[in-house]
Amino acid sequence: MSFNRSIKIAPSILSADFADFGREIAAIEAEGADWVHVDVMDGHFVPNLTFGPPLCKAIRKHIGTVMDVHLMIAPVDPYIDAFAEAGADIITAHHEAGPHIHRTLQAIRATGKKAGLALNPGTPAEAAAPLLDLCDLVCVMTVNPGFGGQKFIHSQIDKICSLRNMIGDRPIHIEIDGGITPETAPLVAAAGADVLVAGSAVFSGGSVTNKDVYGKNIRAIRAAAEGARN
Ligand code: DX5
Ligand code: ZN
């Protein structure tokens, strides 16, 4: 994984057919996905349950791009090794998930994986400042985590701008997660984001047997974001 700031589209498989992950992943990658975003929820840190390391390990062999694992779980530390062994390329933990996020990021780095720091909408950009040396990615949540298909929270745009300034030329991705559509993508790209997670806006209207729609959706988000950079 070499670093660059080009726009990357990371479809969230939270909006895919859970009974058909292998073919869903093949379809989005064939249609232009740059990364595959995997939302892990524990029914405790967030009010929803998804899947754990065995599922991640099972789908890993279907991913030819980057496996971007977003942990919405608390505690995090006891599970880091398991997600690393499952084949994650990037492991992102939430600032709000416990009192020791610095230790958590150190533990992720110690596995040899890239470390991501996620910030909920109520957490300020400044919370990331003492942690940036341990981050390969900062994920700005533009919805409250837990569910796909929620409405983009516009007040997060200023936070993206602040993070972009704080990061400067350090090789740290800014990822945006929640409510990304062709309408909101330009706002976050102009503010400095380079990785755009999108669940419903990629998968809606398509299927593994109608994957052209995934391609159309991915291209629409990418074009809107890249247009805002020019
Ligand atoms: C929300 C998840 C997101 C979600 C995005 O808790 O972290 O990745 O799937 O879904 P959309 O794009 O539908 O808002
Ligand atoms: Zn996510």
Side-chain angles (χ1 to χ4, degrees):
M1 264 186 82
S2 62
F3 182 85
N4 67 61
R5 286 197 195 287
S6 64
I7 295 291
K8 288 163 282 293
I9 309 298
S12 165
I13 59 166
L14 189 61
S15 296
D17 177 354
F18 273 36
D20 208 359
F21 277 136
R23 290 202 300 164
E24 289 277 42
I25 289 164
I28 53 171
E29 288 194 339
E31 294 295 332
D34 298 285
W35 293 6
V36 176
H37 185 82
V38 182
D39 285 308
V40 176
M41 304 185 186
D42 67 351
H44 167 71
F45 178 65
V46 290
N48 195 6
L49 272 172
T50 56
F51 33 72
L55 188 283
C56 290
K57 189 173 183 181
I59 63 172
R60 169 74 259 192
K61 53 182 174 293
H62 297 280
I63 298 178
T65 56
V66 170
M67 186 171 178
D68 174 32
V69 176
H70 178 192
L71 299 181
M72 287 161 273
I73 65 175
V76 187
D77 296 7
Y79 302 100
I80 290 170
D81 286 349
F83 284 103
E85 282 158 21
D89 295 298
I90 303 166
I91 299 176
T92 296
H94 270 261
H95 198 297
E96 309 81 7
H100 298 296
I101 184 65
H102 187 280
R103 177 187 292 153
T104 299
L105 293 167
Q106 284 180 317
I108 295 171
R109 282 267 180 94
T111 67
K113 306 298 184 177
K114 303 278 188 205
L117 168 69
L119 303 178
N120 276 339
T123 303
E126 289 67 30
L131 301 165
L132 288 179
D133 287 345
L134 287 169
C135 292
D136 300 291
L137 175 150
V138 178
C139 174
V140 177
M141 294 304 303
T142 40
V143 298
N144 285 296
F147 303 95
Q150 302 182 81
K151 205 170 163 318
F152 182 86
I153 302 173
H154 284 264
S155 61
Q156 301 305 301
I157 300 286
D158 284 351
K159 190 196 290 186
I160 301 169
C161 295
S162 304
L163 284 165
R164 187 69 198 86
N165 286 332
M166 282 164 57
I167 286 170
D169 57 8
R170 288 191 257 194
I172 302 173
H173 297 290
I174 299 182
E175 177 177 75
I176 311 302
D177 191 358
I180 292 296
T181 64
E183 287 69 46
T184 55
L187 308 177
V188 302
D194 62 298
V195 185
L196 278 55
V197 175
S200 17
V202 166
F203 286 94
S204 68
S207 68
V208 293
T209 53
N210 190 17
K211 64 184 169 67
D212 292 5
V213 174
Y214 295 164
K216 202 168 118 282
N217 291 343
I218 289 169
R219 285 191 297 277
I221 298 167
R222 191 191 304 283
E226 286 176 348
R229 282 258 184 103
N230 300 327

